[in-house]
Amino acid sequence: MKQRIGVYICHCGGNISDYVDVEQLSKLIANENNVVISKDVMFACSDSNQKEMIQDIQEKQLDAIVVASCSPKLHTHTFRNVALRAGINPYNYVQVNVREQCSWAHSDTPLDATVKAYGLIRAGINRVAYSEALDNIEIKAQKAVAVIGAGVAGMRAAIELARLGNNVYLIEKEEQVGGRVAQNGKLFMTGEDGKALTQRLLDNVKSYSQINLFTKATLEKVSGSVGNFNIDVNVEGNLLKLNVGAILVTTGFDYYQPSENEYGFGQTNRVITLQEFNKLVENKSKELSFDGKPVNSIAYIYCVGNRQSKGPNRYCSRYCCTAAIHSSITAHEKFSGIKAFHFYRDIRTYGKQELLYRQSSLNGDVYLKFEEKEPPVIEVENGYPVVKVKDYLTSRKEIALKADLVVLVTGMVARSDSNSVSDKLKIPVGNDKFFNEIHPKLRPVETVINGVYIGGACQGPKNITESVQSALAGVSKINALLKKEVIELEPIVARVNKETCLWCGKCAEVCEYDAIKPLEVNGKMVAEVNVATCKGCGICAPVCPNDAIEIAEYSNHGIESMIAGFAAQAEINQTETQHEEKDENALVGMKEYPKEWKTILESFNGTPLSIPQISNMSGLAKELVTYHLMTMNRYGIVEPAGLNDEESYYLYKPKNH
């Protein structure tokens, strides 16, 4: 067990300390067994505090540290690096979440938040006491990548991977590459033809000898793990076995297919989808006609199959508004005398796509707004559709429009074969049926399976530019992974006590990652863990009847001690320290208190000052003063004091002065 533990409890600039009494907790934690040092700090993640932690570890000869702050998702690697730089094993560090789990969750009951934080910190201390010095698992990586799906995103990713020196296997289910884009004519925003774009990318793909393109190819089986995946691919009845270090999935999307009688679909052939309408416009030259009769009026109905409050597709498909408006502009450019009516719920032409909306309006297009609860109704008169709607832009005035064509603007949905790909690669699928990344902001193209990445519209609706950017983000991650040739994985995985294991197979049955297989050792069958595949989820441990399997860093002793630490009686004094007025002396003794704050406070001479005045007196740049002053205001060190005489700047003063 660890005997010299350091504990650091973060104020998080008030995010924690406004509701959790961190100062009292720091004093209480100092009395815990094996705790050598206990501090409450303003910002645990700040450079100054990291340096102080390193100094504490070295001077106090600490063998483990606990940081009570925000979510481990944010700063686990930050403090592991602190431990490493100070000379202790990074896995002798534990982060306790007292922001999301305490101060934010229980902001209405600060005493309860403090009690809970106390229990969590003690649990963290007990856990780190049983922590082990672990070494990362090293895996030799194959410098080859399988890209599943040869649409625009897949081809662009394959080209970039090859340019960076990787061997690439580009696997396409269809006979032709290019996906949905290859079926399109003129594209927004560039105006380039979809077929021309995909042909240009295909020519580029063929120019790289490192890229092997397989069409009419389906993924049959995937085994192995990051750095060494074994893939079986069926190419027109022939089984091809590939060995790759990583996999990038860019399988794209399907268009929503309207159901029978949805907005008149199927009642008359003059109700068609946007994709069918674009084909019609592309194939006509002199006059826009349908069934031999001219088309003069077109009614576009938006959000067909998306943004359903009670249906399966509750999300916005994002590209549809722009696609419909661009289609209307293209029809106007190619044919004269066209009248377009747009029945919409909301127009979402974001960014530069707003220019298309402006152009559509200048072309004379008419926009009529409806709400989901009162959608347009399509009736058929003499074979022609009549759109009836209550227009919310004219106080729900009832409008009836006879149109030559009704165009249903359908959005993106997950591919019908996405479940098959998900099952083979173990990629989680969200409620929207698209593939799920680990985190949309922090890890937007990574999946829970090491070495398997996703890009493009297979993970959600995206336009071409966004799809390519997403796929290239996956390329960046993959290249960073494979260029080292040796991959380091976290060592927090399952491990088996071969003395007590009798191989009943229950652990393998519940493992979702196929990480456990039987192995014969000295004439006896036991469980063997593939450490490269194991995610350390722990689902195998509780099903073992002989208690022969555990997770590194989560031994029975460690978990039991965490429970004991959390459940122990907490003697917290109810104080008002979270809500008391604070001045600059409130932070005396906090060594990481930014020196800029002290410089700013020293600038005040009894009168309120503006940011330019503080900058002149302190010598700090105005931008730096602004940054620190806002945080000081948030924490209650300074407060606004009105405007200056010219009413050009806000004034500030130290609180209670």
Side-chain angles (χ1 to χ4, degrees):
M1 288 183 62
K2 301 297 176 289
Q3 304 294 323
R4 301 186 64 79
I5 300 172
V7 180
Y8 299 84
I9 308 173
C10 185
H11 287 240
C12 196
N15 280 296
I16 295 173
S17 58
D18 280 356
Y19 311 104
V20 174
D21 192 344
V22 295
E23 296 173 358
Q24 182 179 178
L25 289 183
S26 178
K27 296 174 183 176
L28 292 171
I29 292 299
N31 298 320
E32 295 291 321
N33 292 335
N34 302 323
V35 173
V36 175
I37 186 170
S38 175
K39 291 183 177 181
D40 61 289
V41 296
M42 178 72 73
F43 297 106
C45 59
S46 67
D47 289 341
S48 57
N49 187 70
Q50 290 184 49
K51 292 176 182 177
E52 185 173 327
M53 289 174 67
I54 293 172
Q55 184 178 347
D56 289 344
I57 292 169
Q58 294 172 340
E59 291 181 356
K60 304 291 185 180
Q61 297 183 337
L62 304 181
D63 53 12
I65 55 173
V66 174
V67 177
S69 58
C70 53
S71 169
K73 287 185 177 181
L74 294 175
H75 285 301
T76 291
H77 293 292
T78 300
F79 296 113
R80 280 183 181 173
N81 286 332
V82 167
L84 198 61
R85 280 149 49 200
I88 63 176
N89 189 278
Y91 294 95
N92 293 141
Y93 147 74
V94 165
Q95 186 165 341
V96 177
N97 186 348
V98 295
R99 188 178 71 178
E100 285 81 347
Q101 293 182 359
C102 291
S103 67
W104 284 358
H106 308 290
S107 58
D108 54 338
T109 54
L111 180 60
D112 292 338
T114 302
V115 171
K116 183 177 179 181
Y118 189 22
L120 289 173
I121 296 170
R122 286 186 298 185
I125 293 169
N126 288 354
R127 177 186 166 191
V128 84
Y130 283 94
S131 65
E132 303 175 50
L134 302 175
D135 294 323
N136 286 334
I137 299 166
E138 293 187 349
I139 304 293
K140 188 175 180 180
Q142 296 290 331
K143 201 169 176 58
V145 184
V147 179
I148 314 299
V152 169
M155 286 194 288
R156 186 68 182 83
I159 292 166
E160 193 65 20
L161 283 165
R163 190 186 69 80
L164 292 169
N166 301 283
N167 292 321
V168 182
Y169 301 103
L170 184 55
I171 301 165
E172 172 54 46
K173 182 180 180 181
E174 305 298 333
E175 185 175 359
Q176 303 295 328
V177 300
R180 303 293 178 190
V181 176
Q183 303 168 12
N184 294 336
K186 190 176 178 182
L187 304 171
F188 68 85
M189 298 285 293
T190 63
E192 186 174 6
D193 182 79
K195 298 180 183 65
L197 170 61
T198 54
Q199 184 60 50
R200 176 165 54 83
L201 287 173
L202 178 58
D203 293 340
N204 206 346
V205 165
K206 291 179 178 179
S207 69
Y208 283 91
S209 60
Q210 302 101 310
I211 302 178
N212 298 278
L213 173 61
F214 303 100
T215 57
K216 299 177 72 174
T218 56
L219 195 64
E220 293 291 317
K221 183 181 177 182
V222 179
S223 60
S225 56
V226 58
N228 188 31
F229 288 106
N230 297 305
I231 302 177
D232 291 351
V233 180
N234 188 326
V235 184
E236 297 189 80
N238 299 311
L239 192 63
L240 184 68
K241 292 185 176 292
L242 305 175
N243 184 221
V244 298
I247 300 171
L248 177 62
V249 180
T250 55
T251 49
F253 67 97
D254 283 339
Y255 289 114
Y256 175 80
Q257 184 63 23
S259 59
E260 189 72 19
N261 295 326
E262 185 174 5
Y263 292 109
F265 189 75
Q267 294 181 23
T268 169
N269 64 348
R270 289 184 174 272
V271 177
I272 61 178
T273 65
L274 179 62
Q275 293 73 44
E276 293 169 332
F277 177 73
N278 288 337
K279 286 287 184 184
L280 180 67
V281 171
E282 184 181 352
N283 293 331
K284 299 293 182 179
S285 55
K286 296 181 180 179
E287 181 185 54
L288 182 60
S289 61
F290 187 85
D291 272 357
K293 296 182 179 180
V295 173
N296 295 314
S297 59
I298 305 165
Y300 297 88
I301 299 180
Y302 287 55
C303 293
V304 177
N306 286 103
R307 300 181 66 200
Q308 305 165 326
S309 60
K310 296 182 180 179
N313 305 323
R314 301 188 179 189
Y315 54 89
C316 171
S317 197
R318 304 177 70 248
Y319 95 105
C320 325
C321 292
T322 308
I325 292 172
H326 177 260
S327 175
S328 177
I329 293 172
T330 302
H332 281 299
E333 291 174 347
K334 197 169 184 180
F335 310 105
S336 61
I338 299 292
K339 294 181 179 179
F341 300 87
H342 300 258
F343 296 84
Y344 73 98
R345 288 173 60 188
D346 295 287
I347 295 295
R348 296 180 174 180
T349 50
Y350 52 93
K352 290 186 177 181
Q353 296 167 113
E354 189 76 16
L355 297 174
L356 296 180
Y357 176 71
R358 181 175 183 273
Q359 182 61 49
S360 169
S361 299
L362 293 174
N363 288 342
D365 287 4
V366 178
Y367 286 82
L368 302 100
K369 179 177 173 58
F370 69 93
E371 292 293 333
E372 183 186 18
K373 61 184 179 182
E374 294 183 306
V377 176
I378 311 298
E379 298 178 356
V380 180
E381 295 181 4
N382 300 322
Y384 282 82
V386 177
V387 184
K388 295 183 177 180
V389 70
K390 291 181 179 178
D391 176 28
Y392 275 67
L393 298 182
T394 54
S395 301
R396 299 175 67 245
K397 181 178 180 180
E398 292 189 9
I399 296 174
L401 170 70
K402 185 177 180 180
D404 295 322
L405 282 179
V406 169
V407 178
L408 303 184
V409 182
T410 55
M412 296 180 181
V413 295
R415 284 182 61 96
S416 58
D417 60 354
S418 61
N419 283 338
S420 174
V421 176
S422 171
D423 291 342
K424 292 180 176 67
L425 293 171
K426 308 296 183 185
I427 305 175
V429 174
N431 293 331
D432 57 8
K433 299 181 183 178
F434 287 98
F435 296 144
N436 262 8
E437 63 283 331
I438 291 178
H439 192 285
K441 292 185 178 180
L442 301 179
R443 302 173 72 179
V445 294
E446 299 174 63
T447 71
V448 295
I449 305 300
N450 290 333
V452 177
Y453 300 83
I454 53 179
C458 69
Q459 64 178 136
K462 294 180 176 67
N463 62 33
I464 295 173
T465 300
E466 294 163 343
S467 294
V468 170
Q469 289 172 342
S470 171
L472 292 182
V475 168
S476 176
K477 286 288 184 181
I478 290 171
N479 192 65
L481 180 76
L482 300 184
K483 72 177 183 179
K484 299 177 182 178
E485 298 185 357
V486 174
I487 301 171
E488 288 191 349
L489 303 177
E490 282 201 0
I492 303 177
V493 295
R495 54 192 182 189
V496 178
N497 184 334
K498 293 180 171 54
E499 298 297 323
T500 56
C501 177
L502 299 176
W503 180 248
C504 63
K506 291 183 178 180
C507 54
E509 290 175 6
V510 299
C511 180
E512 296 184 6
Y513 306 101
D514 297 325
I516 303 176
K517 303 292 182 184
L519 177 71
E520 184 176 347
V521 177
N522 298 326
K524 170 187 170 184
M525 298 302 294
V526 298
E528 175 73 8
V529 177
N530 182 344
V531 294
T533 306
C534 178
K535 300 294 294 183
C537 69
I539 196 172
C540 55
V543 302
C544 179
N546 292 332
D547 200 21
I549 192 166
E550 68 178 14
I551 311 301
E553 296 287 78
Y554 292 93
S555 65
N556 287 347
H557 289 307
I559 292 177
E560 289 167 0
S561 70
M562 289 173 67
I563 295 171
F566 184 77
Q569 184 67 32
E571 297 181 0
I572 302 292
N573 295 321
Q574 185 169 7
T575 66
E576 300 298 329
T577 56
Q578 293 93 342
H579 306 289
E580 289 177 352
E581 296 290 317
K582 299 181 181 180
D583 58 23
E584 72 272 19
N585 296 317
L587 300 177
V588 171
M590 297 177 63
K591 294 181 180 179
E592 84 292 355
Y593 178 43
K595 62 181 181 181
E596 291 85 357
W597 290 20
K598 296 179 180 178
T599 303
I600 290 171
L601 289 172
E602 289 170 356
S603 302
F604 290 99
N605 53 9
T607 59
L609 299 174
S610 66
I611 289 176
Q613 289 173 325
I614 296 172
S615 175
N616 290 334
M617 298 184 69
S618 65
L620 299 174
K622 284 190 289 187
E623 295 81 4
L624 195 61
V625 171
T626 303
Y627 172 79
H628 286 292
L629 203 62
M630 294 305 100
T631 308
M632 294 169 73
N633 179 54
R634 170 70 180 83
Y635 195 70
I637 308 304
V638 299
E639 63 182 352
L643 294 168
N644 62 0
D645 294 337
E646 295 79 18
E647 296 187 352
S648 55
Y649 290 102
Y650 279 102
L651 299 174
Y652 295 88
K653 65 178 182 179
K655 205 147 187 183
N656 290 340
H657 279 250

